[in-house]
Amino acid sequence: MTNLTYFQTLPFIDAIKQLFINLQVPVSFFDDKPAKPQDVLGEHYNLTKDGIGLMKEVYVLGLVDDAAFKNDKPGISSADDAAKLKKDYDGLLIFGVPVSNQKNGLPPTRTQLADITRALNRAFPHFPVTVVFQYNHFISLANAERQPYKSESKEGEKIGKVNLLKDVFIPNPHRGHSDILAGLSINRTGTKAVTTFKQLYNQWQKVLSTQTLNKRFYLELFHWYLWAKRHIKIPAPPKTETQDNDTLTSIFTIRLLTRILFVWFVKEKKLIPGDAFDKDYVADILKHFDGDGSLSAMGKADEGNYYKAILQNLFFATLNTPMDKDPATEQERRQFMDNSKTRVTDHYLDQTKYRHQSLLRKPDILIQLFKDVPFLNGGLFECLDYREPDGSEKRYDGFSSTKSKQAVVPDVLFFSPESEQDLSADFDNDSRMKRVRIKGLIRTLDNYKFTIAENTPLEEEIALDPELLGKVFENLLASYNPETKTTARKQTGSFYTPREIVSYMVDESLKAYLLQKLADKPEAYVETGKVQPDMFGNKHRKGQLKLETPVIAHDEKKQKESEQDLAQLFNDAHPENVFSNDDCNLLIEALSNCRILDPACGSGAFPMGILHRMVSLLARLDPYNKAWKQTQLTKAKNDLKAAKQMQDDTIKEVAVQQAEQRIEYIEESFDVTKHEFDYTRKLFLIENCIYGVDIQQIAVQIAKLRFFISLMSEQTVDDGRPNRNILSMPNLETKFVAANTLIALEKNVSSKRGTEGS
């Protein structure tokens, strides 16, 4: 299945036929002629959906049903017959859709392809559908299932998930894509033969499932983690440390895994060079590299030079350090600190400097390799080595030129070929775990496709998305305690909330909040000449009631109408904005002023869920961000007005300057030539509306980094702009905080950590 070049050499419809031949899936093909999108979609042809406008033509290719498996006469022989069907049919309808690029020249987005898939699903309401897209040098496969529903108040459909195998590169498919395509191939003979539509559908549902993909990936990662922490050596813990070395090693390994996983997502945006993870390139720039060494030989011969010289310099001296376009300044800032004679107090424990020059063949090779890597911020890449005010040191990362203070992570842990390892000691001596197949971490990651766009309950790309960071972290917490193992996470209350539950919590919370804002409209409930009490018992007459004074809604009819209008706005199957311009502005301002706090946010499941829902609501209320921009500018201009009225000239000057900079920042952020529309929706929601607290410091860091990835996915890389046009993470230090929300904060608490070495 790795050869897809026939999509470049054959006509589109012939290439799709060849694809299904290779998959051994029988199809009863219809007419080969293409149709206009509006003719196929009919009333569902909606050009307000960006994806619809990208369709060039549509092929209603054919049907996979039991008749096709038996090579019998098809029960449905044309697209017209399929469209006229009045009841559900056990068959898979196949479409081919060539699509064009977006107006900005970029390939179609996941949402645009999902829009097309849903439109085809609605036009043929009694079939699950599979759509094969082609654009540039890529194909994508989308799969959708329609689920009809009935209730007392309405009747219609509930659209299920659209699962997408997206951006399969035709000349050379990614290994992860090839594995999934191979999984879609069926056996027509033997004990595991697929002979009916339902058997095919069940197999495809399992293969095209992120849950299946995540489970397989996490199992490989967990086995690697158990094996790796046996061989990783961390610096001796300080005498004041209360946790034992085994626990600290587990924490170090989890932190290392989280950092590398995050880097893998950033690499998808082409912001980190792939050469840093290429075994041959690494072997060429390191003087001593044991990536091909056998696992049994791991020991003194493998000093972990890859981690010391490449990964640590990437994590701490690059990703956690602002870029400088001046090569001379860059050379000075990232100078190596290997020579103990030149180590001075100002540089000691300064993690902005590249280290371990002696391990590299060329002293300046890392400056060239990482010169275009932007500053990310966010905390995960902050080196945890520091000096206490009393002069004592704490080495938790071991980013040091002194051997006794270094962390040793053998090269073979990253690049070793697959071999069998005995993990039975970690599973109560289970004999089935004596021969577990494990390979190096980089090799494992190379086998999977990653995406920086987080999946939603309605759209899932069959790839590993940023939610994985939280799932991996919270599952690995189970191994902190060497005695209790699988129950350890219960001690910190660390459990991952499933996406479907998060979606329900988010929707119900926002509906209640927005409904109250609609009910609080004074003009909607105060009648001429009548006295109306507000929620505080005060009375007002018409003409005296101010907008900021909330009023209890007594009009049940209007409240019911508002509930129905909000339900339509939240309806992902048929979203529709039925609100007036005034109500739209009211809801947009309500979203801008909303404050959401998750007191046990973990790695950000609920905060990310509510961000995505608020973004989708803003897109429906204000498609071109005109009102959203005005809302942000109004806030900033009010701040400027207040600043100009300050009495103290010194404070006034600073406040005015900050307000003017804020206005300029807002104007620049809304420049659609630099960023997608969702960028500013996400940016100002993250900056102003969403807060989280968790007892686990690394969980908070992961939550912040998920927000950064979400912002990064909406930005356009521009090498001619500072930091490659990638905005550093907004300052979230006071928005996502590591603390125990069950215990009150002490007053006047100062950080123990000194500034030197931070």
Side-chain angles (χ1 to χ4, degrees):
M1 283 307 303
T2 56
N3 183 10
L4 297 173
T5 54
Y6 48 83
F7 274 97
Q8 294 177 311
T9 58
L10 296 176
F12 180 50
I13 191 168
D14 293 333
I16 296 179
K17 288 181 178 180
Q18 186 62 50
L19 172 65
F20 281 89
I21 290 173
N22 291 351
L23 293 174
Q24 299 191 66
V25 175
V27 182
S28 297
F29 287 100
F30 299 158
D31 191 347
D32 288 355
K33 295 180 181 179
K36 295 180 180 179
Q38 54 267 41
D39 293 338
V40 174
L41 296 179
E43 62 179 315
H44 304 288
Y45 184 70
N46 183 358
L47 282 176
T48 61
K49 294 289 187 182
D50 288 342
I52 303 299
L54 301 181
M55 300 171 70
K56 296 178 180 178
E57 52 196 11
V58 180
Y59 294 86
V60 188
L61 292 173
L63 185 68
V64 181
D65 60 2
D66 288 348
F69 275 97
K70 296 176 182 178
N71 202 26
D72 289 345
K73 182 179 178 180
I76 297 174
S77 57
S78 70
D80 289 340
D81 290 344
K84 294 175 182 177
L85 200 66
K86 299 299 182 182
K87 60 181 181 179
D88 290 347
Y89 187 90
D90 282 343
L92 183 67
L93 204 56
I94 309 295
F95 296 87
V97 181
V99 290
S100 58
N101 288 337
Q102 303 177 70
K103 292 180 180 179
N104 57 10
L106 296 175
T109 65
R110 183 183 73 189
T111 298
Q112 289 169 333
L113 297 181
D115 283 345
I116 296 173
T117 305
R118 288 197 184 94
L120 292 169
N121 204 172
R122 294 189 186 105
F124 297 84
H126 297 289
F127 298 87
V129 303
T130 292
V131 187
V132 181
F133 296 97
Q134 184 172 8
Y135 44 94
N136 302 336
H137 299 293
F138 300 95
I139 63 169
S140 289
L141 273 72
N143 194 55
E145 170 70 16
R146 174 174 293 273
Q147 299 175 351
Y149 74 92
K150 293 183 180 181
S151 67
E152 294 181 0
S153 60
K154 62 184 72 176
E155 180 176 333
E157 85 280 3
K158 178 182 178 182
I159 299 297
K161 291 179 183 177
V162 173
N163 294 319
L164 279 154
L165 185 65
K166 187 174 182 294
D167 293 345
V168 181
F169 188 52
I170 294 171
N172 185 23
H174 187 279
R175 170 67 185 273
H177 285 158
S178 295
D179 288 346
I180 293 171
L181 287 171
L184 296 176
S185 179
I186 63 173
N187 295 317
R188 299 291 299 276
T189 59
T191 57
K192 296 183 178 180
V194 175
T195 59
T196 66
F197 158 73
K198 287 188 176 180
Q199 289 177 325
L200 170 74
Y201 187 73
N202 290 337
Q203 177 175 325
W204 278 27
Q205 286 291 91
K206 185 176 180 180
V207 173
L208 296 174
S209 165
T210 56
Q211 186 175 0
T212 301
L213 186 70
N214 287 341
K215 183 177 180 179
R216 188 180 75 202
F217 175 74
Y218 173 73
L219 192 61
E220 290 189 45
L221 212 61
F222 182 57
H223 290 161
W224 180 89
Y225 159 76
L226 293 175
W227 167 62
K229 68 188 184 72
R230 297 178 182 180
H231 302 285
I232 290 174
K233 298 177 182 179
I234 63 173
K239 295 179 180 179
T240 56
E241 178 57 61
T242 58
Q243 294 176 305
D244 60 37
N245 190 265
D246 287 343
T247 301
L248 290 174
T249 302
S250 294
I251 296 172
F252 175 93
T253 308
I254 292 173
R255 192 164 56 242
L256 171 62
L257 258 178
T258 307
R259 285 168 172 165
I260 291 178
L261 284 175
F262 180 79
V263 163
W264 224 255
F265 285 111
V266 177
K267 190 162 71 75
E268 283 295 306
K269 192 74 173 178
K270 313 297 184 187
L271 295 174
I272 293 178
D275 284 347
F277 310 97
D278 182 88
K279 183 174 65 68
D280 294 334
Y281 178 84
V282 170
D284 188 53
I285 66 173
L286 285 176
K287 291 181 180 178
H288 304 287
F289 176 62
D290 202 25
D292 285 325
S294 65
L295 301 180
S296 59
M298 188 164 48
K300 290 185 178 180
D302 191 343
E303 293 290 338
N305 292 341
Y306 175 69
Y307 175 73
K308 292 175 186 176
I310 308 296
L311 291 185
Q312 282 195 330
N313 283 318
L314 171 63
F315 293 161
F316 310 131
T318 305
L319 291 170
N320 200 50
T321 305
M323 294 179 72
D324 193 323
K325 288 295 184 182
D326 181 7
T329 307
E330 184 77 355
Q331 180 77 30
E332 166 61 23
R333 183 180 64 75
R334 294 181 172 178
Q335 65 180 291
F336 289 92
M337 297 301 301
D338 273 310
N339 189 340
S340 60
K341 294 181 181 180
T342 64
R343 184 187 297 140
V344 294
T345 304
D346 290 341
H347 288 162
Y348 190 47
L349 282 172
D350 182 355
Q351 285 94 25
T352 66
K353 303 295 189 294
Y354 282 152
R355 301 179 188 273
H356 303 297
Q357 179 186 26
S358 61
L359 303 179
L360 296 162
R361 298 182 189 276
K362 297 180 181 179
D364 62 345
I365 189 67
L366 292 190
I367 294 175
Q368 296 301 317
L369 180 62
F370 296 142
K371 63 184 177 66
D372 293 325
V373 177
F375 171 53
L376 296 188
N377 199 358
L380 184 62
F381 297 105
E382 180 181 4
C383 184
L384 300 185
D385 300 338
Y386 70 95
R387 180 186 290 129
E388 294 275 19
D390 63 5
S392 62
E393 295 178 9
K394 291 191 175 182
R395 296 282 182 173
Y396 293 109
D397 275 318
F399 186 38
S400 171
S401 298
T402 304
K403 194 167 186 178
S404 63
K405 299 176 181 179
Q406 294 173 0
V408 177
V409 185
D411 297 339
V412 292
L413 292 180
F414 299 102
F415 295 100
S416 66
E418 188 176 76
S419 66
E420 292 182 347
Q421 296 296 311
D422 184 357
L423 299 181
S424 58
D426 293 287
F427 294 91
D428 295 326
N429 295 316
D430 187 337
S431 60
R432 293 173 297 180
M433 305 304 294
K434 286 184 176 294
R435 303 178 68 180
V436 179
R437 300 195 67 80
I438 303 174
K439 53 180 164 291
L441 180 60
I442 303 300
R443 287 179 182 261
T444 297
L445 296 178
D446 277 339
N447 286 343
Y448 289 86
K449 191 71 175 68
F450 287 71
T451 174
I452 60 174
E454 293 222 15
N455 289 321
T456 72
L458 290 179
E459 295 173 12
E460 285 193 348
E461 183 176 345
I462 312 305
L464 300 174
D465 76 325
E467 186 185 34
L468 181 74
L469 288 168
K471 289 181 176 178
V472 167
F473 163 71
E474 293 181 26
N475 279 286
L476 289 182
L477 277 178
S479 64
Y480 263 37
N481 190 323
E483 295 178 358
T484 58
K485 300 270 183 178
T486 56
T487 61
R489 60 180 170 186
K490 295 180 181 178
Q491 298 172 5
T492 58
S494 300
F495 289 91
Y496 199 86
T497 309
R499 185 179 280 130
E500 292 77 13
I501 295 177
V502 169
S503 179
Y504 175 80
M505 294 166 60
V506 163
D507 281 5
E508 294 306 304
S509 300
L510 281 174
K511 284 178 184 177
Y513 169 74
L514 295 176
L515 182 63
Q516 185 60 51
K517 291 298 179 181
L518 290 169
D520 285 348
K521 291 191 305 179
E523 66 274 17
Y525 302 104
V526 179
E527 299 179 13
T528 305
K530 290 186 179 181
V531 175
Q532 182 86 337
D534 65 20
M535 60 172 49
F536 305 106
N538 301 318
K539 295 183 178 181
H540 307 273
R541 292 190 181 277
K542 185 172 178 65
Q544 296 175 330
L545 188 62
K546 295 182 179 179
L547 284 176
E548 62 266 21
T549 306
V551 178
I552 294 179
H554 294 288
D555 192 326
E556 294 183 1
K557 181 180 178 182
K558 289 184 178 295
Q559 183 167 348
K560 188 68 175 178
E561 289 175 355
S562 295
E563 289 176 354
Q564 292 174 348
D565 291 346
L566 281 175
Q568 192 62 50
L569 187 68
F570 277 77
N571 183 351
D572 290 305
H574 285 300
E576 185 178 358
N577 177 20
V578 296
F579 291 99
S580 66
N581 287 338
D582 288 344
D583 281 349
C584 281
N585 290 333
L586 183 150
L587 292 173
I588 291 168
E589 186 173 358
L591 290 172
S592 181
N593 293 330
C594 185
R595 299 294 180 267
I596 302 107
L597 170 65
D598 185 344
C601 67
S603 53
F606 181 81
M608 282 303 304
I610 206 159
L611 172 69
H612 288 151
R613 175 50 90 184
M614 292 172 78
V615 167
S616 72
L617 294 177
L618 286 171
R620 292 167 187 177
L621 292 166
D622 185 24
Y624 301 104
N625 277 348
K626 292 181 179 179
W628 183 241
K629 178 181 179 180
Q630 189 57 49
T631 299
Q632 307 311 314
L633 284 174
T634 298
K635 286 182 182 179
K637 289 177 180 178
N638 287 340
D639 290 341
L640 178 60
K641 183 178 179 180
K644 290 180 177 179
Q645 294 174 351
M646 291 179 175
Q647 300 300 316
D648 187 302
D649 289 339
T650 303
I651 298 177
K652 175 180 178 179
E653 182 180 355
V654 174
V656 168
Q657 183 180 17
Q658 290 177 341
E660 289 175 342
Q661 289 174 346
R662 179 69 178 175
I663 293 173
E664 182 179 350
Y665 168 72
I666 292 171
E667 290 284 1
E668 184 177 3
S669 298
F670 277 92
D671 186 345
V672 294
T673 63
K674 299 174 184 175
H675 310 294
E676 301 293 333
F677 282 118
D678 277 350
Y679 172 72
T680 44
R681 293 171 186 140
K682 290 180 179 180
L683 176 64
F684 294 110
L685 288 172
I686 292 171
E687 284 190 346
N688 302 323
C689 303
I690 303 174
Y691 300 80
V693 183
D694 196 84
I695 196 171
Q696 292 281 345
Q697 176 67 49
I698 192 171
V700 173
Q701 292 173 352
I702 292 171
K704 289 189 287 188
L705 287 168
R706 287 179 68 184
F707 277 101
F708 178 79
I709 294 175
S710 185
L711 272 176
M712 184 172 60
S713 68
E714 308 297 344
Q715 298 183 72
T716 303
V717 177
D718 184 347
D719 292 336
R721 295 181 59 81
N723 211 47
R724 302 186 67 191
N725 203 39
I726 299 299
L727 181 72
S728 297
M729 185 72 173
N731 186 1
L732 302 180
E733 299 306 313
T734 59
K735 300 182 184 298
F736 286 86
V737 178
N740 187 342
T741 52
L742 300 179
I743 300 175
L745 291 173
E746 297 180 26
K747 295 182 179 180
N748 300 323
V749 176
S750 59
S751 173
K752 292 182 179 180
R753 181 167 180 171
T755 57
E756 184 180 5
S758 60

